[in-house]
Amino acid sequence: MSIITFALFLFLASFVVVTAQKKVLDIASYGGLPNGDITQAMTKAWAAACSSTVPVRIYVKNAKYKMLDVHLKGPCKAPAIEIYNDGTIQAPGDMSQLHGVQQWIRVEYVNKFTLSGRGTFDGLGPSSWHHNTCAKNVHNCKMLTMNFGFSFLNNSVIRDVTSKDSKNFHVNVLGCNNIEFNNFKIDAPEDSPNTDGIHIGRSVGVRILHTKIGTGDDCISLGDGSVNVTVNDVTCGPGHGISVGSVGKITSETPIDSFTVKNCTLTNTMNGVRIKTWPAGPGTITITNMHFEDIIMNNVSNPVIIDQEYCPWNQCNKKIPSKIKIRNVTFKNIRGTSGTKEGVTLICSAGVPCENVKLSDVKLTFKGREVVAKCSNAKPTITGVAPACVGAAAA
Ligand SMILES: *[C@@H]1O[C@H](CO)[C@@H](O)[C@H](O)[C@H]1NC(C)=O
Ligand SMILES: *[C@@H]1O[C@H](CO)[C@@H](O)[C@H](O)[C@H]1NC(C)=O
Ligand SMILES: *[C@@H]1O[C@H](CO)[C@@H](O)[C@H](O)[C@H]1NC(C)=O
Ligand SMILES: *[C@@H]1O[C@H](CO)[C@@H](O)[C@H](O)[C@H]1NC(C)=O
Ligand SMILES: *[C@@H]1O[C@H](CO)[C@@H](O)[C@H](O)[C@H]1NC(C)=O
């Protein structure tokens, strides 16, 4: 090849590098430069990626960047799209610059999407958290912007990256089929309001593996329509634990089924593993096949808890039982320390008692003594060592 052709080749290669069938789009070639705002560059790179006919990677090199809200939407022609971020990308601290969107980075309607790299997505939450009035103003509070919304994605992976200091939830998973979080990291302080780690709803086949979550609210929470969700090798703390629900407040919900939490460690969290439903609600969905196994609790206030009288801020009548049926729940090989004497709480609905709840080798201590189990409308089957239900509540 002539010198001129070779020079031309190098020139083109700096924009588009085709390696082993995967096309690489460097954000820098779209004007996304270190210390600059990469909103436009990301949007343009996404448009190019989406229309690619071969698998494609958007590459963000290690540097600091700013980015406003982006909406990365499919369906795409590309067989697979990866965003590989080695840098630190910051959201605006000033909420008004986010155009009132629910999610800072929203990825929707894509098959085979991957988010990876050693980088960080920093929601710059500290300057906005005081705008969160939801604890005081329950019914009409303004929702702040989440770091990520992954909606209607199929066969997708989020790996290695860090989500830091989101203004609200870190990640909302909605309508996805087969999505995996692997070696993902979530980092926000204990006192940051509503910074749930990963919230899942209306999705089938979600795996959260080898992930470290420290935040101010639930580490992982399952909303209605979550089916076949697996959590393995996750550490949680600080945070409020791993929760199913709350559900039952409205009628439009769909069932929650097949949730397995295994080989996890929770440290200094408010709850450990929890299922919660609203009393006095119209919802009648079922929650079935919930399995919690090989879990270490370190100073967890409520390590094992089913609460069908979940009613924060006393906004409902606890005397009207929840209509949500809970069936097939196992708590197996759960050990460590509880922050309260009642380390196991099984408060089920008087209307539709829990069915087939198993406690198998649940060894928890509070101040050096075995915890007790507080139960109502549940008759757990006990195998191995586990606290028996005590007190008047053992109905
Ligand atoms: C995801 O899968 C669902 C169910 O198979 C399908 O209806 C939908 O079109 C797929 N979405 C994309 C973006 O491929
Ligand atoms: C549930 O997940 C397992 C493993 O991830 C998979 O093999 C199975 O097909 C899934 N079932 C459904 C109904 O999605
Ligand atoms: C999961 O199991 C592996 C192997 O036993 C262990 O090294 C790791 O610490 C466990 N993870 C948690 C979060 O307990
Ligand atoms: C136990 O957890 C609580 C928060 O739930 C915390 O205030 C306390 O410092 C923790 N104790 C230890 C010994 O870490
Ligand atoms: C409950 O678990 C049993 C096996 O223990 C299974 O046969 C049954 O189908 C499960 N019920 C539901 C509603 O999934």
Side-chain angles (χ1 to χ4, degrees):
M1 125 170 63
S2 78
I3 300 254
I4 289 170
T5 324
F6 186 65
L8 183 65
F9 170 77
L10 282 182
F11 175 75
L12 289 173
S14 69
F15 288 87
V16 173
V17 183
V18 182
T19 47
Q21 293 295 301
K22 188 179 264 190
K23 190 161 76 175
V24 177
L25 309 177
D26 190 331
I27 200 91
S29 358
Y30 292 87
L33 300 176
N35 302 312
D37 180 326
I38 61 169
T39 314
Q40 290 309 315
M42 183 59 82
T43 304
K44 282 183 202 154
W46 180 265
C50 191
S51 59
S52 166
T53 52
V54 296
V56 60
R57 165 186 278 186
I58 295 173
Y59 174 67
V60 181
K61 79 164 182 188
N62 183 5
K64 276 194 172 173
Y65 307 90
K66 297 191 185 315
M67 192 170 76
L68 301 176
D69 48 293
V70 290
H71 187 179
L72 310 176
K73 201 166 178 284
C76 290
K77 205 193 280 175
I81 302 180
E82 177 176 22
I83 296 179
Y84 186 96
N85 171 31
D86 263 347
T88 297
I89 304 180
Q90 280 185 341
D94 176 3
M95 288 196 307
S96 66
Q97 288 183 33
L98 283 167
H99 310 100
V101 296
Q102 286 183 342
Q103 291 135 358
W104 173 37
I105 299 169
R106 184 162 155 201
V107 189
E108 273 190 334
Y109 302 105
V110 186
N111 185 31
K112 293 198 179 168
F113 171 73
T114 300
L115 179 63
S116 63
R118 284 158 293 189
T120 295
F121 294 86
D122 185 348
L124 238 64
S127 55
S128 313
W129 287 328
H130 67 276
H131 290 292
N132 185 315
T133 56
C134 293
K136 284 177 234 151
N137 184 0
V138 179
H139 298 290
N140 196 13
C141 63
K142 187 172 152 51
M143 290 307 261
L144 305 188
T145 305
M146 304 177 194
N147 268 5
F148 290 102
F150 299 116
S151 308
F152 311 104
L153 303 181
N154 296 342
N155 312 310
S156 293
V157 179
I158 315 301
R159 66 164 174 259
D160 307 329
V161 294
T162 299
S163 174
K164 182 174 155 59
D165 290 346
S166 181
K167 292 177 170 53
N168 195 331
F169 290 15
H170 287 266
V171 175
N172 191 58
V173 175
L174 173 70
C176 294
N177 284 293
N178 186 22
I179 182 167
E180 177 173 306
F181 293 82
N182 201 325
N183 190 35
F184 184 49
K185 281 143 274 189
I186 290 178
D187 178 20
E190 182 166 18
D191 60 358
S192 55
N194 294 108
T195 53
D196 295 52
I198 303 176
H199 178 78
I200 300 160
R202 303 279 169 124
S203 294
V204 180
V206 182
R207 292 174 302 284
I208 304 173
L209 315 173
H210 320 300
T211 285
K212 198 167 175 302
I213 305 175
T215 196
D217 209 305
D218 290 341
C219 285
I220 294 171
S221 58
L222 261 64
D224 81 285
S226 299
V227 175
N228 211 7
V229 178
T230 302
V231 171
N232 201 326
D233 189 22
V234 167
T235 62
C236 165
H240 293 185
I242 297 176
S243 273
V244 178
S246 55
V247 290
K249 212 179 179 183
I250 52 173
T251 53
S252 57
E253 294 172 331
T254 60
I256 300 178
D257 180 48
S258 298
F259 182 37
T260 303
V261 177
K262 228 182 143 166
N263 185 32
C264 292
T265 301
L266 294 97
T267 304
N268 297 340
T269 56
M270 184 185 282
N271 303 290
V273 289
R274 170 166 71 153
I275 301 173
K276 54 181 176 176
T277 77
W278 292 87
T284 57
I285 61 164
T286 56
I287 298 178
T288 47
N289 305 310
M290 304 283 115
H291 301 295
F292 306 98
E293 195 173 330
D294 303 332
I295 297 172
I296 295 170
M297 305 282 181
N298 296 315
N299 181 36
V300 172
S301 304
N302 306 292
V304 171
I305 174 168
I306 296 179
D307 182 6
Q308 295 209 260
E309 293 179 358
Y310 177 75
C311 183
W313 313 293
N314 272 319
Q315 45 175 320
C316 44
N317 183 351
K318 288 194 184 185
K319 296 214 169 76
I320 305 176
S322 168
K323 297 186 187 69
I324 303 295
K325 179 77 173 179
I326 298 177
R327 184 185 280 122
N328 286 2
V329 183
T330 43
F331 299 101
K332 186 176 173 188
N333 189 26
I334 297 186
R335 53 193 71 215
T337 53
S338 170
T340 58
K341 194 175 80 178
E342 280 147 352
V344 176
T345 303
L346 306 175
I347 304 290
C348 291
S349 167
V352 281
C354 293
E355 243 175 71
N356 193 19
V357 176
K358 290 188 177 126
L359 296 175
S360 173
D361 292 313
V362 175
K363 295 181 198 161
L364 296 162
T365 58
F366 170 63
K367 295 189 174 163
R369 301 179 60 178
E370 298 287 315
V371 301
V372 300
K374 183 173 128 187
C375 313
S376 60
N377 306 302
K379 294 196 179 76
T381 312
I382 292 179
T383 55
V385 181
C389 292
V390 296

